[in-house]
Amino acid sequence: MFRWLAPEYRTMGYDGLLLDHDGVIVTLADRAAIDRAAGAAFEDAGIDDPDPADVDAISIGVDPADVRQLGRTYDVDPATLWRHRDDRIETLLRAATRDGRKQPYEDVDALAGVDLPLGVVSNNQTRIVDDVLTHHGLAALVGTVRARDPTLASLEHTKPEPDYLTAAMADLGIDRPLYVGDSESDVEAARRAGVDVAFLRRHHNADRSLAVEPTYDVASLHTVVERLCEAD
């Protein structure tokens, strides 16, 4: 499937390819497992029986203001709570990578045919992204990874902020990349960075509606690579 959406934004001659990590290159982790890891982070911080809503607040798509509020609620240093959370998530995702629960999508083989600088831009932790790419033999394809440190402060720079996108562009020396993401925050980050974006539909987001329109709406990385060839 390929659907051209916004001809006024057509940009021929892309000079690089940037991709989100989870949900684009590799499969998503099980949400229930992430919730359990978040719950264990409260235990690590000395908090027994946290409210399930508070566990959910530090699981996925976290707002740093919520973490700071949790610090006040439970009388704990929010940065410490968050570090426990990131450490638990790292342990979970390393294990999931090695036992086959977190693996590359079948169409990732298309990236081997990309003759342009390639980077990964993720809201996940850098140490996790590096580990996953290395374990699955994909690190050699990637010229840069821009993602988070395991700190509360890092959340201020996550997508939809364009910070990681623009940093990756600077790393690779490019200014007209195509970015590929699977969420509305990816599309918005690309808009803020002033670059074209392909919204990639996988099983987890196949029917998702977006409030921000992407440049392309695609169902395969093979289609993305075809688009790069057409623009070359």
Side-chain angles (χ1 to χ4, degrees), residues 63-65 68 148 151-158 161 163-164:
D63 185 332
R68 289 190 286 270
R148 289 197 304 105
T151 64
L152 181 58
S154 72
L155 292 178
E156 304 291 347
H157 303 284
T158 56
E161 296 301 323
D163 301 22
Y164 296 153

Side-chain angles (χ1 to χ4, degrees), residues 63-126:
D63 185 332
D66 289 341
V67 183
R68 289 190 286 270
Q69 179 57 53
L70 291 175
R72 292 187 289 270
T73 299
Y74 292 99
D75 192 25
V76 64
D77 175 29
T80 299
L81 174 61
W82 185 252
R83 180 61 192 232
H84 286 309
R85 180 270 185 197
D86 270 356
D87 287 347
R88 283 286 184 170
I89 295 296
E90 183 201 21
T91 298
L92 166 67
L93 295 187
R94 283 183 183 272
T97 298
R98 282 152 181 77
D99 67 17
R101 288 175 292 150
K102 193 167 187 64
Q103 56 188 328
Y105 288 100
E106 291 184 359
D107 58 358
V108 166
D109 61 353
L111 300 180
V114 176
D115 189 24
L116 290 171
L118 191 152
V120 173
V121 178
S122 175
N123 282 353
N124 208 332
Q125 300 172 60
T126 305

Side-chain angles (χ1 to χ4, degrees), residues 41-217:
F42 278 92
E43 296 177 11
D44 295 340
I47 301 166
D48 296 324
D49 196 27
D51 188 307
D54 293 336
V55 173
D56 184 68
I58 66 166
S59 293
I60 297 289
V62 181
D63 185 332
D66 289 341
V67 183
R68 289 190 286 270
Q69 179 57 53
L70 291 175
R72 292 187 289 270
T73 299
Y74 292 99
D75 192 25
V76 64
D77 175 29
T80 299
L81 174 61
W82 185 252
R83 180 61 192 232
H84 286 309
R85 180 270 185 197
D86 270 356
D87 287 347
R88 283 286 184 170
I89 295 296
E90 183 201 21
T91 298
L92 166 67
L93 295 187
R94 283 183 183 272
T97 298
R98 282 152 181 77
D99 67 17
R101 288 175 292 150
K102 193 167 187 64
Q103 56 188 328
Y105 288 100
E106 291 184 359
D107 58 358
V108 166
D109 61 353
L111 300 180
V114 176
D115 189 24
L116 290 171
L118 191 152
V120 173
V121 178
S122 175
N123 282 353
N124 208 332
Q125 300 172 60
T126 305
R127 57 183 175 168
I128 294 173
V129 176
D130 285 341
D131 180 70
V132 174
L133 294 176
T134 299
H135 180 80
H136 289 301
L138 299 172
L141 296 176
V142 177
T144 189
V145 171
R146 282 291 180 164
R148 289 197 304 105
D149 295 326
T151 64
L152 181 58
S154 72
L155 292 178
E156 304 291 347
H157 303 284
T158 56
K159 298 171 286 185
E161 296 301 323
D163 301 22
Y164 296 153
L165 268 170
T166 55
M169 291 164 62
D171 290 344
L172 298 174
I174 59 178
D175 57 16
R176 302 174 71 185
L178 176 63
Y179 177 54
V180 184
D182 68 320
S183 69
E184 187 167 300
S185 67
D186 287 316
V187 178
E188 176 61 20
R191 186 192 68 80
R192 295 183 188 184
V195 302
D196 284 5
V197 57
F199 182 71
L200 179 60
R201 293 189 183 274
R202 301 290 197 190
H203 177 74
H204 64 274
N205 67 351
D207 299 320
R208 188 168 302 166
S209 298
L210 300 174
V212 183
E213 189 173 56
T215 316
Y216 311 104
D217 192 313

